[in-house]
């Protein structure tokens, strides 16, 4: 696995909180789907898609399971401000999801593969509803994100979220593909070399997380990799 030195980054764009929350009210009428990786969380964590493979708002998978092209969903078409934001970035978006973490719910520590900027793919967070009782931990650091701000999170680093309050937290989570437009955005606040990934030996806990992810994939190659990791843990 590899990681770059930048674990998270506040990007130089802000959005109108009132308009974001107005569109969120519209989006609440749709059927939100429970996040499918049950072992990753405790409580209630659900989502709808604004961009998904095939353009279906119920499809909340971040990874495209087939050759369907990412498209705006019905939910995005009915939420004008969300749509304008997504269409204005200038880089390809593979998925865009409204993700809601209910009060007293907890996303367990985990990490994703190849979701750092240096890998060519990246994840952005735009908080729409948040509060002081949210504990978002990335690479051991607590990151406080205000409503209407835009953040890059290097998902290759271990991260977790706890909602210790009485109000749901809702983020617009965007997965993008690096291009010249995204470089201009990122390099306005950080150096290009800071995003270069460097090989890192995973910890025992990270290896266990990788094993759980490989179980979900279930392909012959995934199972082969899982067996190798199990032997490393036993040694």
């Amino acid at each position: 696995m590899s990681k770059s030195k930048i674990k998270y980054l506040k990007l130089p764009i802000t959005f109108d909180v009132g308009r974001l929350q107005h569109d969120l009210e519209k989006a609440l009428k749709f059927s939100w789907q429970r996040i499918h990786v049950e072992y990753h969380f405790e409580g209630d964590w659900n989502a709808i898609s604004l961009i998904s493979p095939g353009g279906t708002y119920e499809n909340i998978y971040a990874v495209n399971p087939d050759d369907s092209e990412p498209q705006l969903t019905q939910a995005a078409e009915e939420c004008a401000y969300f749509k304008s934001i997504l269409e204005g970035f200038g880089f390809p978006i593979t998925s865009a999801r409204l993700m809601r973490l209910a009060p007293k719910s907890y996303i367990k520590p985990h990490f994703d593969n190849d979701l750092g900027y240096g890998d060519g793919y990246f994840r952005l967070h735009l908080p729409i509803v948040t509060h002081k009782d949210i504990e978002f931990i990335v690479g051991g650091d607590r990151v406080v994100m205000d409503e209407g701000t835009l953040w890059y999170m290097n998902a290759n680093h271990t991260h977790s979220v706890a909602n210790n309050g009485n109000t749901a937290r809702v983020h617009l989570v965007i997965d993008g593909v690096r291009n010249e437009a995204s470089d201009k955005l990122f390099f306005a606040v950080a150096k290009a070399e800071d995003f270069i990934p460097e090989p890192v030996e995973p910890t025992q806990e990270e290896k266990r997380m990788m094993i759980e992810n490989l179980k979900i994939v279930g392909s012959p190659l995934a199972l082969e990799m899982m067996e190798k990791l199990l032997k490393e843990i036993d040694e």
Side-chain angles (χ1 to χ4, degrees), residues 154-167:
N154 186 340
N156 292 344
H157 287 270
T158 300
H159 51 281
S160 63
V161 187
N163 185 350
N164 299 314
N166 298 311
T167 303

Side-chain angles (χ1 to χ4, degrees), residues 150-182:
L150 184 67
W151 293 76
Y152 158 68
M153 188 198 63
N154 186 340
N156 292 344
H157 287 270
T158 300
H159 51 281
S160 63
V161 187
N163 185 350
N164 299 314
N166 298 311
T167 303
R169 184 208 77 160
V170 183
H171 280 197
L172 173 53
V173 179
I174 301 163
D175 288 344
V177 181
R178 180 176 177 175
N179 69 0
E180 289 184 6
S182 65

Side-chain angles (χ1 to χ4, degrees), residues 55-70:
T56 305
Y57 70 81
E58 298 98 335
N59 179 6
I60 59 170
Y61 286 86
V63 178
N64 188 352
D66 54 38
D67 295 328
S68 300
E69 288 294 323

Side-chain angles (χ1 to χ4, degrees), residues 200-215:
V200 177
E201 177 63 26
T203 65
Q204 294 293 89
E205 183 58 31
E206 287 173 333
K207 288 178 180 178
R208 292 188 181 94
M209 293 180 198
M210 293 167 71
I211 288 168
E212 291 300 321
N213 287 332
L214 291 167
K215 283 181 184 177

Side-chain angles (χ1 to χ4, degrees), residues 41-101:
F41 67 95
E42 296 176 0
D44 189 9
W45 188 26
N46 51 42
I48 62 167
S49 285
L50 300 180
I51 292 178
S52 74
T56 305
Y57 70 81
E58 298 98 335
N59 179 6
I60 59 170
Y61 286 86
V63 178
N64 188 352
D66 54 38
D67 295 328
S68 300
E69 288 294 323
Q71 299 176 39
L72 289 166
T73 69
Q74 180 185 354
E77 294 289 356
E78 295 191 21
C79 297
Y81 192 47
F82 289 155
K83 182 180 178 182
S84 69
I85 290 171
L86 296 171
E87 291 181 333
F89 278 121
F91 52 76
I93 295 174
T94 58
S95 76
R97 298 168 291 168
L98 294 171
M99 307 191 76
R100 178 174 57 187
L101 185 66

